[in-house]
């Protein structure tokens, strides 16, 4: 673990970024790695996507090392789970306060390894602070014993349910939101009384290590959060271990299916938050200017690397041309970079995702699509900067309208009737989020019922995720299970039903216990007809 002496070290003014990173590495709870000719097999490098410089190297945890962390989490579980809900709440609120007070330190770490703009990184920290606050305060209500109705026949009894933790929860988080998509499930799991082993993405592991450091500096109990760094093999070890009692995974649908298959064989519960291809429907009675602003922001925010990004835009024929004009006007306000003058769009994070984005552009253009603006790499930038794009003349034969693109682009398609627009929005294997734009609130509500997605925003986009009281999760291949809200908190618990006599009568038996008789049979039959007939 980190010593108090090391934990107290501060970055000096004259210390370079490289020196700071190396010092941070020395402070982490990571086994030392000897430099050998096989270093590539036991270490991986982390690259700053904004300038392609090496941030540092971290170890790839093998099966034995993963099991060691799981054992530590299991040893910590009894003491943590025995705390009252009020005690767990107080511990988590300490983390919230520390994170809010030291936000710049976390924001800098996020920017360093994701290439995000500082505003995008600030949004991560703000959203997480809101989430911790909700879970810590509302979790006390949602996890306490709940009374249940015993019905008419057993009216002389009382019933309730208890929420029990699973034990050790394995969390596997992605690179696009390394703070939100790590800490949100961690906090939910901890509030429910579990301990956690986190495997962050190999692309953005330093944010997770910073989270662990914040846990320690905020004074949370040692051992309730463990971190294992590595690649796919490390994540597989966490999933396949008999020591983890539940898995929460956020990532691609393909990987999520493999995890679900593995967990099913072990009867291990799993929460999967997977891909999206979210539609934005603009009807002729919509506020077009607001809808255009939303499409630009919802498609380009975090360089489009958001599971609920606006990727498919459907516009009714009668307002199509006006909407395109407004989009092009709004596009003029989009600047790209990371540090100077707080630009709107940062770099992309993953080189693999850049490749997918370019493949989708190429496929769309071959099939008749037109890129109105953007769609090229920023040659004057060293990192993974891809100029945000607006595409038209697209259709559902194109990858860019069928597969998750996960880049800074929006693709626009016409529709004529309301029914056609709804059908196009639902024509996807995904169903994570969607957005409806209309001047009629009742119309919006009725259309929302027909949209096949786990969340719907009316005259807004992406705003559902920061609302901590709203459950979040997808339909179809966008996942299973929920995070956020009472449903999300309780997802990390096992439900135990309890029934007992309302009064402790000193009776030898219940009426329906042996021995049976014809008289009793007729009595029960009359009761059934009287109550339910």
């Amino acid at each position: 673990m980190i010593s108090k002496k090391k934990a107290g070290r501060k970055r000096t003014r004259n210390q370079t970024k490289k020196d700071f990173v190396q010092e941070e590495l020395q402070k982490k709870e990571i086994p030392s790695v000897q430099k050998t000719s096989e270093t590539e097999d036991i270490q991986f490098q982390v690259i700053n996507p904004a300038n392609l410089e090496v941030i540092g190297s971290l170890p790839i945890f093998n099966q034995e090392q993963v099991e060691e962390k799981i054992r530590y989490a299991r040893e910590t579980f009894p003491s943590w789970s025995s705390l009252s809900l009020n005690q767990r709440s107080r511990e988590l609120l300490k983390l919230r306060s520390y994170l809010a007070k030291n936000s710049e330190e976390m924001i800098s770490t996020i920017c360093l390894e994701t290439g995000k703009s500082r505003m995008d990184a600030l949004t991560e920290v703000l959203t997480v602070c809101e989430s911790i606050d909700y879970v810590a305060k509302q979790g006390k209500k949602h996890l306490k014993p709940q009374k249940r109705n015993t019905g008419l026949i057993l009216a002389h009894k009382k019933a309730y349910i208890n929420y029990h933790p699973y034990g050790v929860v394995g969390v596997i988080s992605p690179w696009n939101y390394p703070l939100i998509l790590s800490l949100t499930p961690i906090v939910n799991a901890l509030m429910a009384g579990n301990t956690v082993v986190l495997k962050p993405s190999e692309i953005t592991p330093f944010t997770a290590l910073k989270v662990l450091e914040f846990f320690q500096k905020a004074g949370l109990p040692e051992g309730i959060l463990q971190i294992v760094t590595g690649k796919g093999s490390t994540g597989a070890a966490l999933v396949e271990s008999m020591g983890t009692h539940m898995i929460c995974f956020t990532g691609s649908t393909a990987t999520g299916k493999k995890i679900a298959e593995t967990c099913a064989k072990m009867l291990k519960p799993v929460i999967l938050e997977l891909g999206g291809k979210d539609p934005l429907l603009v009807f002729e009675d919509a506020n077009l200017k607001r809808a255009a602003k939303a499409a630009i922001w919802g498609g380009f925010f975090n360089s489009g690397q958001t599971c609920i990004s606006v990727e498919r835009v459907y516009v009714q024929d009668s307002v199509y041309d006006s909407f395109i004009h407004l989009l092009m006007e709004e596009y003029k306000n989009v600047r790209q970079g990371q540090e100077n003058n707080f630009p709107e769009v940062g770099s992309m994070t993953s080189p693999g995702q850049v490749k997918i984005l370019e493949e989708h552009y190429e496929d769309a253009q071959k099939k008749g699509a037109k890129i109105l603006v953007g769609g090229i790499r920023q040659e004057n930038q060293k990192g993974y900067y891809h100029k945000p794009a607006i595409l038209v003349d697209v259709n559902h034969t194109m990858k860019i309208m069928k597969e998750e693109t996960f880049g800074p682009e929006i693709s626009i398609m016409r529709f004529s009737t309301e029914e056609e627009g709804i059908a196009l929005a639902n024509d996807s294997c995904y169903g994570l989020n969607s957005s409806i734009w209309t001047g009629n609130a009742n119309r919006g509500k009725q259309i929302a019922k027909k949209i096949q997605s786990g969340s719907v925003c009316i005259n807004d986009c992406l705003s559902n995720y920061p609302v901590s009281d709203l459950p979040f999760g997808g339909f179809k291949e966008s996942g299973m299970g929920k995070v956020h809200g009472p449903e999300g908190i309780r997802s990390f618990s096992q439900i135990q039903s309890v029934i007992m006599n309302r009064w402790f009568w000193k009776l030898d038996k219940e009426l329906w216990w042996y021995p049976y008789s014809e008289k009793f049979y007729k009595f029960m039959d009359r009761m059934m007809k009287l109550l339910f007939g």
Side-chain angles (χ1 to χ4, degrees):
M1 301 298 295
I2 301 174
S3 68
K4 291 184 178 179
K5 183 177 180 180
K6 288 183 178 179
R9 290 189 295 186
K10 302 287 185 180
R11 182 181 181 183
T12 64
R13 290 185 178 180
N14 297 324
Q15 193 176 17
T16 66
K17 183 181 289 186
K18 184 175 180 181
D19 291 337
F20 174 60
V21 169
Q22 292 303 318
E23 182 175 295
E24 291 296 295
L25 281 171
Q26 294 170 11
K27 291 160 62 177
K28 307 305 174 188
E29 184 188 4
I30 299 293
S32 61
V33 179
Q34 298 297 321
K35 294 183 178 180
T36 69
S37 59
E38 299 178 351
T39 297
E40 293 79 7
D41 296 327
I42 56 177
Q43 285 187 324
F44 64 97
Q45 285 188 333
V46 182
I47 306 296
N48 182 337
N51 56 26
L52 306 187
E53 293 180 359
V54 176
I55 299 173
S57 296
L58 291 172
I60 298 175
F61 275 63
N62 59 30
Q63 181 77 50
E64 183 179 350
Q65 292 169 317
V66 171
E67 293 292 351
E68 182 181 347
K69 292 293 184 182
I70 293 172
R71 282 194 295 272
Y72 193 7
R74 294 187 73 165
E75 291 170 2
T76 311
F77 170 73
S79 59
W80 175 252
S81 60
S82 66
L83 295 180
S84 68
L85 291 172
N86 283 330
Q87 288 172 318
R88 289 181 220 153
S89 173
R90 285 196 292 270
E91 293 296 332
L92 294 177
L93 289 175
K94 285 160 55 177
L95 175 66
R96 178 212 61 187
S97 298
Y98 189 89
L99 178 59
K101 291 175 182 176
N102 297 275
S103 59
E104 284 299 314
E105 188 177 347
M106 183 63 76
I107 289 168
S108 295
T109 304
I110 293 171
C111 290
L112 183 68
E113 63 180 1
T114 64
K116 290 178 190 279
S117 68
R118 293 194 73 81
M119 275 301 299
D120 285 359
L122 173 61
T123 301
E124 275 212 68
V125 177
L126 177 61
T127 301
V128 164
C129 287
E130 169 77 22
S131 179
I132 298 172
D133 190 74
Y134 173 83
V135 172
K137 294 177 179 178
Q138 298 302 316
K140 294 183 291 183
K141 175 177 70 174
H142 299 316
L143 292 171
K144 70 179 183 180
Q146 306 282 321
K147 293 181 180 179
R148 294 299 169 96
N149 194 318
T150 57
L152 294 173
I153 297 174
L154 297 178
H156 64 291
K157 296 182 181 291
K158 61 181 179 180
Y160 62 96
I161 58 174
N162 290 324
Y163 292 97
H164 283 247
Y166 280 101
V168 178
V169 174
V171 175
I172 302 176
S173 61
W175 47 263
N176 57 323
Y177 286 93
L179 181 64
I180 291 176
L181 298 178
S182 294
L183 203 45
T184 297
I186 287 171
V187 169
N188 278 270
L190 291 174
M191 187 64 201
N194 305 282
T195 52
V196 177
V197 180
L198 168 68
K199 190 275 173 189
S201 168
E202 63 270 23
I203 297 175
T204 55
F206 284 104
T207 300
L209 294 173
K210 182 62 67 175
V211 167
L212 179 61
E213 181 185 325
F214 276 29
F215 264 66
Q216 294 161 340
K217 289 184 175 180
L220 273 70
E222 183 177 338
I224 60 174
L225 172 64
Q226 302 293 313
I227 293 181
V228 292
T229 58
K231 299 188 177 182
S233 60
T234 305
L238 189 64
V239 172
E240 295 166 2
S241 172
M242 296 300 293
T244 52
H245 305 100
M246 180 185 184
I247 298 295
C248 181
F249 169 78
T250 306
S252 72
T253 296
T255 303
K257 288 180 177 179
K258 294 177 182 177
I259 290 174
E261 183 179 356
T262 299
C263 289
K265 293 177 181 177
M266 306 170 71
L267 295 180
K268 183 182 295 187
V270 61
I271 295 175
L272 302 174
E273 199 270 273
L274 307 178
K277 190 70 180 175
D278 298 341
L280 182 148
L281 286 123
V282 182
F283 292 95
E284 58 189 357
D285 61 346
N287 180 334
L288 296 185
K289 187 172 183 179
R290 177 175 169 83
K293 287 177 177 289
I296 291 288
W297 178 76
F300 300 160
F301 179 74
N302 198 42
S303 287
Q305 300 166 129
T306 305
C307 56
I308 56 174
S309 285
V310 173
E311 293 200 18
R312 299 180 288 145
V313 179
Y314 302 99
V315 184
Q316 201 153 15
D317 276 328
S318 58
V319 294
Y320 180 87
D321 291 337
S322 298
F323 184 78
I324 295 296
H325 174 74
L326 288 168
L327 275 182
M328 296 301 290
E329 287 298 309
E330 290 300 327
Y331 186 89
K332 296 176 182 178
N333 297 321
V334 178
R335 301 164 300 165
Q336 192 168 34
Q338 192 181 39
E339 297 293 342
N340 297 328
N341 300 319
F342 292 93
E344 286 69 35
V345 182
S347 76
M348 293 184 69
T349 303
S350 164
Q353 206 60 48
V354 173
K355 183 180 179 181
I356 292 172
L357 175 66
E358 292 177 340
E359 287 175 353
H360 284 195
Y361 286 156
E362 182 180 0
D363 174 76
Q365 288 176 302
K366 282 182 179 178
K367 295 175 180 176
K370 180 181 178 182
I371 299 180
L372 293 181
V373 64
I376 57 174
R377 295 198 188 195
Q378 296 276 35
E379 297 297 336
N380 61 332
Q381 300 276 13
K382 188 178 180 182
Y384 302 130
Y385 288 93
H386 224 286
K387 193 175 174 77
I390 299 175
L391 289 81
V392 294
D393 300 333
V394 295
N395 60 62
H396 281 206
T397 67
M398 300 173 183
K399 291 181 180 180
I400 207 161
M401 294 297 281
K402 300 295 286 185
E403 301 176 10
E404 189 172 36
T405 304
F406 225 59
E409 62 82 21
I410 50 175
S411 298
I412 325 294
M413 187 172 172
R414 298 172 181 263
F415 70 89
S416 54
T417 66
E418 180 179 302
E419 291 73 21
E420 182 188 5
I422 294 170
L424 288 168
N426 289 337
D427 183 24
S428 174
C429 65
Y430 298 108
L432 191 57
N433 205 10
S434 57
S435 179
I436 299 167
W437 295 80
T438 172
N440 186 319
N442 287 330
R443 183 188 189 189
K445 292 177 183 178
Q446 292 305 311
I447 293 172
K449 294 178 181 179
K450 300 175 183 178
I451 298 296
Q452 299 167 1
S453 66
S455 300
V456 178
C457 299
I458 300 175
N459 294 329
D460 206 342
C461 63
L462 280 65
S463 60
N464 55 298
Y465 193 91
V467 181
S468 297
D469 202 33
L470 273 177
F472 181 81
F475 288 5
K476 300 187 276 191
E477 293 191 11
S478 286
M480 54 192 293
K482 299 292 183 183
V483 294
H484 298 183
E487 296 84 356
I489 295 173
R490 291 169 179 168
S491 292
F492 292 88
S493 300
Q494 303 179 85
I495 297 176
Q496 179 190 63
S497 300
V498 180
I499 189 166
M500 60 188 295
N501 285 326
R502 196 174 296 275
W503 306 282
F504 286 95
W505 295 333
K506 295 182 179 180
L507 296 178
D508 293 334
K509 63 185 278 301
E510 296 285 341
L511 290 174
W512 44 85
W513 290 358
Y514 299 156
Y516 292 156
S517 69
E518 183 179 0
K519 181 180 178 181
F520 179 68
Y521 175 84
K522 290 180 178 180
F523 168 76
M524 292 295 289
D525 186 55
R526 284 196 300 270
M527 284 288 294
M528 178 175 64
K529 289 179 171 57
L530 177 65
L531 293 173
F532 307 116

